[in-house]
Amino acid sequence: EADIYQTPRYLVIGTGKKITLECSQTMGHDKMYWYQQDPGMELHLIHYSYGVNSTEKGDLSSESTVSRIRTEHFPLTLESARPSHTSQYLCASSESGTSNQPQHFGDGTRLSIL
Amino acid sequence: KQEVTQIPAALSVPEGENLVLNCSFTDSAIYNLQWFRQDPGKGLTSLLLIQSSQREQTSGRLNASLDKSSGRSTLYIAASQPGDSATYLCAASSLGGGSQGNLIFGKGTKLSVKP
């Protein structure tokens, strides 16, 4: 059973605020990912990590940043939120080794910037 | 650049019908093809993963096929139930470059099974 948790589930906040979206997994997975999904649209990869101290930008350009200080924790930060950042953010993880490992997803954070 | 397309965008069927969801991808150089289910307001649940060397995978009432030469995958759902109602997403795992193993998603097919 996959155990990956995202907090908060919903966040409504004003423009200019600093935001951190939390993602934690208890499976010991080395690989972790952040996706952005707008309603009715496909998921786009914005950040990924192969392990501690590893972070890479994904296919979709994003103003957010990530860090990977501990294996189980992969937070995403927006320094100054804008209405264009309104979206759903999904975190995922997978085992390392071959690339034939399924990704396990959290329930997402639905972010709304006023 | 890999592109993934899913047809139809939405599908409504009566309970008990067998159905097929389609997925096509433009670059056949993939590690695998994955099918996910997404319920409203939730994350994704992995359903099936087909490695590039495989032709199909089965789990219960679900069967997924992969034809790399034509760039197509199908998800077959047998004896559909109202609980199958969800959005089904197809994703291709890229083979090369810096994003090795990362997933490229389609927009999904929204399935509604009527009792």
Side-chain angles (χ1 to χ4, degrees):
Chain A
E1 185 69 30
D3 292 303
I4 181 164
Y5 307 100
Q6 291 187 241
T7 58
R9 286 295 318 279
Y10 305 92
L11 180 61
V12 181
I13 200 165
T15 298
K17 301 291 186 183
K18 180 179 179 179
I19 299 167
T20 297
L21 306 184
E22 303 288 350
C23 176
S24 296
Q25 51 95 5
T26 59
M27 297 168 283
H29 288 170
D30 284 328
K31 293 184 180 178
M32 295 190 74
Y33 314 81
W34 275 103
Y35 293 89
Q36 185 173 340
Q37 184 184 30
D38 293 322
M41 301 297 289
E42 61 268 66
L43 279 74
H44 288 288
L45 182 68
I46 51 175
H47 298 284
Y48 60 101
S49 168
Y50 288 127
V52 171
N53 294 325
S54 154
T55 61
E56 303 286 344
K57 290 190 179 296
D59 304 318
L60 180 68
S61 175
S62 173
E63 294 170 346
S64 59
T65 59
V66 292
S67 63
R68 190 86 184 276
I69 298 172
R70 302 199 315 265
T71 297
E72 62 271 21
H73 199 212
F74 191 39
L76 180 146
T77 298
L78 283 162
E79 289 294 333
S80 180
R82 296 207 300 268
S84 61
H85 297 141
T86 294
S87 189
Q88 175 161 252
Y89 293 84
L90 290 161
C91 180
S93 70
S94 65
E95 293 183 36
S96 57
T98 73
S99 291
N100 282 319
Q101 300 293 338
Q103 292 187 16
H104 301 274
F105 282 78
D107 282 339
T109 293
R110 192 171 295 276
L111 179 64
S112 182
I113 310 298
L114 305 177
Chain B
K1 181 185 173 186
Q2 180 73 274
E3 292 182 9
V4 177
T5 304
Q6 291 187 247
I7 295 173
L11 180 64
S12 182
V13 300
E15 182 177 4
E17 266 202 16
N18 303 324
L19 58 101
V20 175
L21 307 181
N22 296 293
C23 171
S24 62
F25 48 95
T26 55
D27 185 352
S28 61
I30 60 172
Y31 273 118
N32 60 62
L33 192 291
Q34 299 185 34
W35 284 92
F36 294 87
R37 168 185 174 138
Q38 185 174 30
D39 292 288
K42 295 284 193 178
L44 279 64
T45 300
S46 179
L47 297 174
L48 290 165
L49 183 154
I50 313 175
Q51 298 181 28
S52 62
S53 58
Q54 297 174 327
R55 294 294 295 239
E56 66 177 347
Q57 281 287 326
T58 298
S59 176
R61 294 182 293 108
L62 305 180
N63 175 277
S65 69
L66 175 64
D67 184 345
K68 278 180 35 177
S69 62
S70 66
R72 294 179 188 274
S73 176
T74 62
L75 179 67
Y76 174 83
I77 302 177
S80 58
Q81 303 170 358
D84 294 331
S85 299
T87 297
Y88 289 82
L89 298 169
C90 164
S93 179
S94 62
L95 190 58
S99 59
Q100 190 179 78
N102 291 338
L103 294 176
I104 306 297
F105 282 85
K107 291 183 181 180
T109 293
K110 186 174 183 179
L111 173 65
S112 177
V113 181
K114 306 292 187 185

